[in-house]
Amino acid sequence: VTPVQSLTAEQLYRRCDLSAHAFASTAELEGLQEFIGQERASQAIDLAIRMRRRGYNMFALGSAGTGKLSLVRKRVEECAAGEPRPPDWCYVNNFEHPSKPGVLRLPAGMGRTFRSDMQRFTDDLRTGLSAAFESEEVQVRRQRLTEEVQEQQQASLVELQEKARARNLALLRTPAGLAFAPLRDGNVLPPEEFEKLSAEDQERIKNEVETLQQELQRVLYKVPGWERELRQRMRSLHEEVTGFVLNDLMDEVVKRYQDFPQVLSYLEAVRKDVITHVLDFLGGEKSSEAESESPMTQFLNGKANPRRYQVNLLVDSSELAGAPVIYESNPTYLNLIGRVEQFVQMGALFTDFMLIKSGCLHRANGGYLILDALRVLTTPYGWEGLKRALQFGEIRIESPLEMLSLTTTISLEPEPIPLDVKVVLLGDRTLYYLLSLYDADFNELFKISADFEDELERTPTSELLYARVIAEIVRKESLRPFERSAVERLIEHSARIVADSERLTTQLRAIVDLMQQADYWAGQQEATTVASEHVQQAIDAYNRRLSRIEEKMREEVVRRTLFIDTDGEKVGQINALSVVQMGNYAFGHPTRITASIRLGRGEVVDIEREAQMGGPIHSKGVLILSSFLRARYELERPLSLAASLVFEQSYGGVEGDSASSTELYALLSAISGAPISQSLAVTGSVNQLGQVQAIGGVNEKIEGFFDLCAARGLNGEQGALIPSANVKHLMLKQEVVEAVRAGKFHIYPIETIDQGIEVLTGIPVGERQPDGSYPEGTINRRVVDRLKELAEARRKAEAKEGERRRKPALRRQPRGRQASAQ
Amino acid sequence: MDGDNTMENRIAQDTETTEEILVAVDASPHSLAALAAAADLAALLGQKLHALYVEDINLLRLAGLPFCREVGSYTASVRLLDTRSIERTFERSAAAIQRSIERVTQTRRISYTFRVVRGGVTDALAAASQSATFVSLGRVGHSPGRRIGSTTQMLLQRLERPLLIASASAQLRPPFTVLFSGSPASRNALQLAVNLARKNERVLTVWIWAKEQSIEQIEELLRGLVSPLQGVAFDGVLVQTSDQLHTLLAQHTQGTLILPVDQAEWISSVETAVIVAP
């Protein structure tokens, strides 16, 4: 077995050395705006931007703080600046179906012009019409028309009156009509006088009255016809006058929109509508009255809304330089799709095309829309709305309540607007994989995924690039310049964040936070630049803020409430290294593992599992170490021991296999009786062949044990055993590095169980001789000897038991079945 | 006039005055407007209001004739008329008028008398107007197809007192405008206008009607204006053609126009309340 050399101080922490580059602080360093280590994501973004096909939307996935939004936005904005401006979109009244406003598409900037043209048209129309209808000509013609009809009526009545008078009859007004009566001296003949008349006279008068009544009826029957004719003639007069005013104004507008057939057909509709509704817009006073009237009153009066010729400029691209890039931070359904607002009037809800409001899909149409995936998914109907718009390639404004048929008020169905937008969703990996697994539409609509790296390889080149990124952050965040030493310390910390001396984190948010805090500490000390001490201070302060529980646990060990030995030797007892993750913060904490053996049939009892406190990976580790034992020692005879393993004073669950090597050491110690040094702590998982494999959280584990030893006073013997595969992950804190340098603490890189047990017991493990035996005094020999003893003991015990059982069996037959059942 | 049944009169105010303004009322909206206008005038001039409701005797007689039928003015349907229903109409109208009068006089704090007489409408009005300073009538009477009622026309033919013609949309309102043509009636009209203008201290507008007249005649006209207009703020407008007058009348949408009876033909062109001076 190759003896194990403890690691040197240099192997515990890979320093960053930028001295080859001549800069004293970031002030002298050119900032790097590019994102480093995100080539994969960058290429994906570029592809997504260039693919001009439906469905090539993008999902940018990666951990928080990797700069997804910044990178996507930067790339998209660069690209959008060179793209053409999208058109303007206007909603206008649909005169035939007011509940279905129409949409007009105009070149960027023209929407505004159209809006003001229509406003001017409406104003001019109103003034023009008032002037025309108040003109003497129109007044006189109207009056003449009315008078003609009146005269016609009157003439008929006068004629009748004359006829009556000639017969000495009068036409009288009665409470509800007209009647003829015989006259005498200008007054109606009293009935009693009438009685005195001769029968012929009476009959004559009666007949005359009847004849005249019939004539009167004929005249009155004609009245509605005359009135209808009057209305018709009035209408054609109005049309003639309106047409005169309108044609001039309309031609002016039409001239400017010759190239837009859609606009022209809208203007034609306006022309027809004005003629139909001319009276609603008439007169200075009347029109202001109409405007001050509530829509409710207008509605009840059947009047046309004076806003009907206005233009709702929904999307105004006039001020854009290129294609729009919109980041919507609150992607609710209404903010995405747009809405139709309503207002309350006398208890009823009213709306019209002017109350259609755009959503971010409208504003991003022809460009790019960046959204936070989780937010879209957590707002009601947000995700459904977005998908539907993308699937059908159009924005159809519908209230979610209407979709659910929960509302029945008057509402609008605006004509949908064609959608051409590139949507970029930002989110974490879990969300991406969940969506692609469970939402069939997702893969159709978001064909490009930009996967952001969490780390990048640490090389001298990447370190320099990283330094330039730091310089850029300093500039952007307006921080004090960072000295070179501070930059080096930051890069080292970046490696520590990813727990790998050969990698750097791309989660710049953590670095930015640290830089801001280091800058604060520099400010506290009135320094003009940020030095490495300030960075260290920020790291320490961060750890201190989060280390309450860690300190409490260590305190309990020091006070011997929790039993952890850090010196001496014990059989079947070992210090395991474990790591506790509390939110963003992880810390190492040693745990005592003990093993006990007794006569048995080779079973290893994992007490954690028995108590249902061990996770499946932990159980698997225990099973692996049991099979290692069998493989190595059960060659000649079955294992005749039973062993129990336990994590002492563990009250929560145990998970992970990083203690499996540790448990194996404890077991070997218990079997062989070789005591284990309590100055050492162990981590590492083991395979069936006895190889020690890499584990996670190696830095925290070592530091946790070191802190405990340091609290009790280092005795020079103390140290930790780690898998040699983890050496490259070491980025230990300075105290540990210094203690190792001073020879007060040792870290042993272990490859096999044999190496480990030798370090722990100080006893050679012993190699298998050609005859199958192990040399005297070695661990293996002690194990084998002990196993032999146990086997012998078991054999004897079983023989005795067998004898005891056989005797009663002579008396009672069913005994055998009972035994086999045991 | 037969069947002169007078209703008791009431006094709503302490100040007693002998001068009174006669208003002819029936239950029609226009006559109620005339009532309000008359009440306004009474308040302005500090006079009493005398409301007169004439139950048209001719209607009763008509209903008494067995063969007479009413032809619906709108539907042209023929219905039987009977005396009872006519009587009931009269009673209802009188009660409604009484209520209106109370409402109108109460707000203006003027005293009034209300009489109901049975007889010929024009005769009864002419008789009652003898003791009145003004007569007030509704704008549209009952004659079909005309904008001025037959009663108004009859009264104009033998006008002895100034006649106020108002409607719901044309109430008695300042400022006052008078048409002056130099005729005796127009001098009366001017005097009346001056009195009214003085009462409410507004500028009086005088349209000097000089159609086809020579310079000398116009000068003569103007001289006739000098003494009546002494001490009154006024605007004078010389009107020389019918078209000009037409335009002025069409634009006259506020205030009250005072016409001499010899120019009463213009009444139908005016939207506002009109006073016709004898």
Side-chain angles (χ1 to χ4, degrees):
Chain A
V1 176
T2 333
V4 179
Q5 289 298 313
S6 70
L7 295 174
T8 63
E10 284 66 35
Q11 288 172 291
L12 305 184
Y13 189 83
R14 182 170 158 201
R15 293 212 162 274
C16 170
D17 183 6
L18 297 172
S19 57
H21 309 287
F23 72 96
S25 78
T26 51
E28 297 164 24
L29 205 55
E30 192 196 345
L32 180 70
Q33 292 185 358
E34 285 300 313
F35 289 78
I36 48 171
Q38 301 295 5
E39 287 73 21
R40 187 200 314 271
S42 265
Q43 283 165 8
I45 294 170
D46 290 346
L47 177 66
I49 290 173
R50 295 209 181 92
M51 279 299 271
R52 283 281 154 212
R53 281 175 190 282
R54 192 176 273 194
Y56 279 87
N57 297 299
M58 186 176 79
F59 193 106
L61 61 150
S63 313
T66 44
K68 294 188 292 293
L69 176 60
S70 314
L71 178 60
V72 167
R73 203 179 222 175
K74 187 165 174 289
R75 280 291 148 83
V76 165
E77 276 172 358
E78 281 165 5
C79 189
E83 291 178 15
R85 288 190 293 175
D88 287 345
W89 292 99
C90 305
Y91 269 113
V92 289
N93 199 6
N94 179 341
F95 301 106
E96 278 181 26
H97 307 284
S99 67
K100 295 180 176 171
V103 75
L104 297 180
R105 176 196 166 118
L106 286 166
M110 213 152 159
R112 271 190 194 190
T113 324
F114 184 54
R115 183 174 59 182
S116 53
D117 280 350
M118 285 311 288
Q119 184 62 53
R120 199 172 323 114
F121 166 78
T122 315
D123 293 346
D124 290 352
L125 180 68
R126 187 169 292 153
T127 333
L129 286 177
S130 318
F133 277 80
E134 277 165 23
S135 72
E136 216 156 305
E137 183 199 332
V138 177
Q139 294 281 357
V140 168
R141 284 176 66 186
R142 280 166 65 111
Q143 197 168 345
R144 212 175 283 159
L145 284 177
T146 323
E147 278 169 4
E148 261 175 47
V149 174
Q150 281 176 351
E151 274 164 21
Q152 212 170 356
Q153 285 185 25
Q154 206 173 332
S156 311
L157 288 171
V158 166
E159 192 188 336
L160 217 53
Q161 232 163 359
E162 293 303 323
K163 272 189 195 169
R165 195 169 296 147
R167 292 170 173 83
N168 206 20
L169 296 174
L171 177 58
L172 292 180
R173 166 90 207 185
T174 59
L178 299 160
F180 289 98
L183 285 180
R184 173 174 294 173
D185 307 332
N187 281 323
V188 175
L189 185 69
E192 55 277 15
E193 297 286 324
F194 180 78
E195 295 297 327
K196 290 179 192 162
L197 294 176
S198 65
E200 290 106 75
D201 283 349
Q202 286 187 7
E203 190 57 33
R204 181 183 49 81
I205 291 173
K206 204 173 141 185
N207 288 341
E208 280 170 355
V209 165
E210 263 170 26
T211 318
L212 284 173
Q213 265 177 4
Q214 281 163 7
E215 268 187 56
L216 174 63
Q217 268 185 302
R218 274 198 294 279
V219 170
L220 291 176
Y221 280 139
K222 283 185 200 158
V223 172
W226 291 334
E227 282 175 355
R228 194 173 52 244
E229 196 191 321
L230 171 65
R231 282 197 300 272
Q232 254 161 15
R233 289 168 69 179
M234 280 285 188
R235 201 175 300 133
S236 49
L237 170 65
H238 291 162
E239 281 175 16
E240 182 193 327
V241 176
T242 312
F244 177 74
V245 177
L246 180 65
N247 288 346
D248 175 53
L249 292 173
M250 191 50 99
D251 292 349
E252 185 69 23
V253 185
V254 166
K255 226 185 286 170
R256 264 174 263 165
Y257 298 91
Q258 280 304 329
D259 300 336
F260 307 102
Q262 256 188 322
V263 178
L264 291 182
S265 61
Y266 166 68
L267 290 174
E268 193 46 44
V270 170
R271 190 194 294 267
K272 280 185 195 148
D273 187 73
V274 169
I275 290 174
T276 323
H277 291 98
V278 62
L279 289 180
D280 296 342
F281 301 99
L282 267 195
E285 263 177 75
K286 280 181 195 159
S287 72
S288 67
E289 219 173 84
E291 262 167 25
S292 64
E293 266 180 14
S294 70
M296 177 68 149
T297 327
Q298 284 169 7
F299 178 74
L300 293 177
N301 294 344
K303 274 195 189 169
N305 187 332
R307 318 208 293 181
R308 59 201 286 118
Y309 308 129
Q310 286 185 4
V311 172
N312 179 356
L313 179 52
L314 195 77
V315 178
D316 182 2
S317 303
S318 59
E319 280 170 15
L320 290 177
V325 178
I326 307 282
Y327 172 67
E328 175 60 62
S329 57
N330 184 24
T332 60
Y333 178 86
L334 296 178
N335 284 352
L336 281 169
I337 307 293
R339 68 188 79 197
V340 178
E341 293 186 340
Q342 293 173 323
F343 54 91
V344 181
Q345 196 76 47
M346 293 166 79
L349 290 172
F350 272 84
T351 185
D352 67 7
F353 70 100
M354 288 301 285
L355 291 174
I356 303 172
K357 302 287 148 127
S358 64
C360 60
L361 278 171
H362 291 107
R363 291 191 297 278
N365 201 358
Y368 303 86
L369 177 61
I370 306 173
L371 298 169
D372 186 283
L374 185 64
R375 287 191 191 145
V376 178
L377 286 162
T378 49
T379 55
Y381 301 105
W383 179 238
E384 287 307 312
L386 178 66
K387 278 200 307 187
R388 201 174 41 212
L390 292 175
Q391 265 166 348
F392 294 99
E394 61 179 31
I395 319 169
R396 185 182 288 274
I397 300 180
E398 264 176 318
S399 138
L401 290 181
E402 265 169 58
M403 282 174 3
L404 298 176
S405 308
L406 287 180
T407 172
T408 52
T409 50
I410 299 175
S411 194
L412 301 181
E413 287 173 54
E415 189 184 334
I417 290 181
L419 178 67
D420 170 26
V421 71
K422 184 101 20 198
V423 175
V424 180
L425 288 180
L426 309 173
D428 62 24
R429 292 197 172 81
T430 322
L431 209 53
Y432 174 79
Y433 292 118
L434 280 174
L435 282 172
S436 55
L437 194 59
Y438 291 111
D439 190 333
D441 304 328
F442 175 74
N443 297 315
E444 283 297 306
L445 295 173
F446 292 86
K447 291 187 199 284
I448 305 273
S449 60
D451 198 345
F452 279 68
E453 298 286 355
D454 292 341
E455 52 189 41
L456 73 147
E457 202 180 340
R458 184 180 172 191
T459 62
T461 321
S462 67
E463 282 182 348
L464 179 65
L465 291 175
Y466 214 87
R468 287 177 56 198
V469 169
I470 289 171
E472 180 64 20
I473 296 170
V474 168
R475 196 177 55 74
K476 243 192 228 165
E477 300 282 322
S478 312
L479 305 174
R480 289 172 181 74
F482 275 55
E483 289 172 13
R484 194 172 66 201
S485 63
V487 175
E488 289 167 347
R489 182 69 191 91
L490 280 172
I491 291 174
E492 289 159 9
H493 186 69
S494 170
R496 171 62 194 253
I497 289 174
V498 287
D500 194 332
S501 66
E502 294 167 2
R503 296 282 182 273
L504 293 173
T505 182
T506 55
Q507 294 186 35
L508 288 179
R509 189 176 297 161
I511 299 294
V512 174
D513 291 350
L514 183 62
M515 287 170 69
Q516 288 168 340
Q517 289 160 25
D519 177 72
Y520 166 79
W521 290 114
Q524 288 292 299
Q525 290 160 26
E526 295 178 358
T528 53
T529 54
V530 181
S532 64
E533 303 89 82
H534 302 132
V535 177
Q536 187 58 49
Q537 197 171 358
I539 296 170
D540 291 345
Y542 175 84
N543 290 340
R544 166 101 187 102
R545 286 199 295 277
L546 293 170
S547 63
R548 190 181 69 85
I549 293 175
E550 179 188 9
E551 279 172 21
K552 286 277 165 213
M553 287 176 78
R554 190 160 59 239
E555 204 177 290
E556 291 309 318
V557 176
V558 173
R559 294 171 68 197
R560 301 217 176 266
T561 313
L562 296 176
F563 295 152
I564 304 284
D565 290 341
T566 48
D567 53 13
E569 291 181 337
K570 285 275 168 61
V571 173
Q573 174 180 313
I574 189 165
N575 293 325
L577 291 173
S578 57
V579 70
V580 181
Q581 182 81 37
M582 314 268 308
N584 275 339
Y585 184 72
F587 62 89
H589 175 72
T591 309
R592 172 180 287 181
I593 292 179
T594 57
S596 67
I597 58 157
R598 57 194 180 280
L599 200 57
R601 292 166 193 272
E603 63 272 22
V604 176
V605 178
D606 173 11
I607 290 184
E608 303 303 320
R609 195 181 71 174
E610 298 294 308
Q612 294 183 345
M613 285 169 75
I617 301 175
H618 179 258
S619 303
K620 181 185 169 192
V622 173
L623 293 173
I624 289 172
L625 75 88
S626 324
S627 52
F628 168 80
L629 272 184
R630 287 174 199 281
R632 177 168 283 191
Y633 301 113
E634 210 182 25
L635 297 175
E636 292 162 12
R637 58 190 72 78
L639 279 182
S640 305
L641 83 158
S644 319
L645 286 168
V646 64
F647 272 61
E648 302 289 358
Q649 290 184 299
S650 144
Y651 304 103
V654 174
E655 179 54 320
D657 62 353
S658 74
S660 58
S661 70
T662 322
E663 288 165 322
L664 184 52
Y665 295 137
L667 210 51
L668 289 174
S669 161
I671 299 168
S672 64
I676 285 177
S677 165
Q678 300 298 305
S679 304
L680 296 171
V682 184
T683 184
S685 71
V686 70
N687 64 15
Q688 289 199 96
L689 306 175
Q691 285 170 316
V692 176
Q693 307 166 131
I695 44 76
V698 66
N699 292 303
E700 286 82 4
K701 286 175 174 173
I702 295 172
E703 286 167 0
F705 188 62
F706 173 83
D707 286 343
L708 174 60
C709 297
R712 285 181 173 163
L714 296 174
N715 61 12
E717 295 293 316
Q718 286 146 339
L721 279 67
I722 61 164
S724 64
N726 281 116
V727 172
K728 59 180 175 290
H729 299 136
L730 292 177
M731 282 301 285
L732 289 164
K733 61 181 182 180
Q734 283 313 299
E735 291 94 314
V736 184
V737 177
E738 292 312 318
V740 169
R741 199 189 304 282
K744 289 182 182 167
F745 198 74
H746 312 276
I747 293 167
Y748 301 97
I750 304 297
E751 279 169 10
T752 62
I753 285 295
D754 292 344
Q755 284 179 335
I757 197 75
E758 278 187 3
V759 173
L760 288 166
T761 56
I763 301 169
V765 73
E767 290 205 30
R768 201 180 175 88
Q769 312 277 332
D771 63 352
S773 69
Y774 293 98
E776 195 70 36
T778 61
I779 295 282
N780 279 338
R781 180 61 177 265
R782 287 167 79 158
V783 170
V784 169
D785 288 352
R786 185 68 198 276
L787 289 174
K788 270 186 194 161
E789 278 170 36
L790 287 167
E792 186 57 27
R794 181 175 158 198
R795 195 185 56 75
K796 281 182 186 161
E798 277 178 354
K800 210 169 177 185
E801 176 74 2
E803 212 169 303
R804 195 169 61 80
R805 279 191 191 159
R806 231 173 288 125
K807 278 178 194 164
L810 293 175
R811 293 198 301 272
R812 282 203 310 211
Q813 281 303 325
R815 186 74 189 173
R817 216 170 69 210
Q818 242 177 346
S820 65
Q822 268 178 353
Chain B
M1 203 193 304
D2 30 0
D4 186 342
N5 57 7
T6 311
M7 276 181 80
E8 82 282 14
N9 54 4
R10 265 180 49 194
I11 293 165
Q13 210 180 7
D14 301 336
T15 48
E16 190 74 27
T17 163
T18 53
E19 290 183 313
E20 58 182 22
I21 289 163
L22 173 68
V23 56
V25 279
D26 53 31
S28 74
H30 288 294
S31 92
L32 294 180
L35 175 65
D40 284 335
L41 192 62
L44 185 70
L45 300 173
Q47 297 187 4
K48 231 164 77 173
L49 184 69
H50 177 54
L52 178 70
Y53 174 42
V54 184
E55 295 177 344
D56 192 348
I57 186 75
N58 284 336
L59 276 184
L60 277 174
R61 287 183 184 165
L62 176 70
L65 292 170
F67 55 87
C68 281
R69 299 287 183 276
E70 175 186 53
V71 182
S73 56
Y74 194 75
T75 59
S77 58
V78 176
R79 291 179 293 265
L80 193 67
L81 273 175
D82 71 282
T83 322
R84 279 291 310 279
S85 76
I86 296 285
E87 293 270 11
R88 271 203 300 275
T89 310
F90 289 161
E91 281 161 26
R92 266 203 312 276
S93 298
I97 292 164
Q98 175 72 31
R99 283 196 298 275
S100 302
I101 296 172
E102 279 169 14
R103 200 169 51 238
V104 162
T105 53
Q106 216 161 19
T107 52
R108 291 170 178 81
R109 301 192 58 74
I110 50 171
S111 59
Y112 74 91
T113 52
F114 175 38
R115 288 176 69 216
V116 180
V117 298
R118 181 165 293 179
V121 177
T122 323
D123 291 341
L125 265 179
S129 69
Q130 295 299 322
S131 58
T133 56
F134 261 94
V135 179
S136 174
L137 280 181
R139 172 87 201 209
V140 176
H142 289 312
S143 295
R146 289 185 197 191
R147 296 192 63 188
I148 305 172
S150 54
T151 313
T152 312
Q153 281 183 333
M154 296 286 278
L155 271 180
L156 284 172
Q157 277 164 21
R158 44 180 174 171
L159 193 70
E160 290 174 24
R161 298 281 178 267
L163 178 64
L164 167 61
I165 305 167
S167 71
S169 60
Q171 284 285 300
L172 181 79
R173 295 278 178 271
F176 296 97
T177 303
V178 60
L179 182 71
F180 179 73
S181 64
S183 68
S186 78
R187 279 197 290 275
N188 286 342
L190 182 65
Q191 196 54 54
L192 186 63
V194 166
N195 288 344
L196 290 170
R198 281 215 178 99
K199 289 275 182 195
N200 70 25
E201 298 170 351
R202 292 283 290 266
V203 174
L204 173 69
T205 307
V206 185
W207 294 344
I208 304 152
W209 183 221
K211 191 181 172 189
E212 292 161 9
Q213 289 198 349
S214 63
I215 305 281
E216 293 77 21
Q217 285 170 314
I218 294 172
E219 278 174 2
E220 178 66 32
L221 259 182
L222 295 179
R223 266 195 297 280
L225 282 170
V226 177
S227 77
L229 286 170
Q230 210 94 51
V232 182
F234 75 96
D235 285 330
V237 182
L238 191 63
V239 189
Q240 286 178 288
T241 64
S242 297
D243 282 351
Q244 219 181 333
L245 186 58
H246 248 305
T247 314
L248 281 175
L249 289 167
Q251 289 166 355
H252 189 264
T253 53
Q254 279 174 336
T256 304
L257 180 67
I258 300 157
L259 289 173
V261 70
D262 49 33
Q263 301 292 336
E265 73 220 60
W266 299 108
I267 294 175
S268 56
S269 311
V270 188
E271 277 184 34
T272 62
V274 178
I275 297 173
V276 185

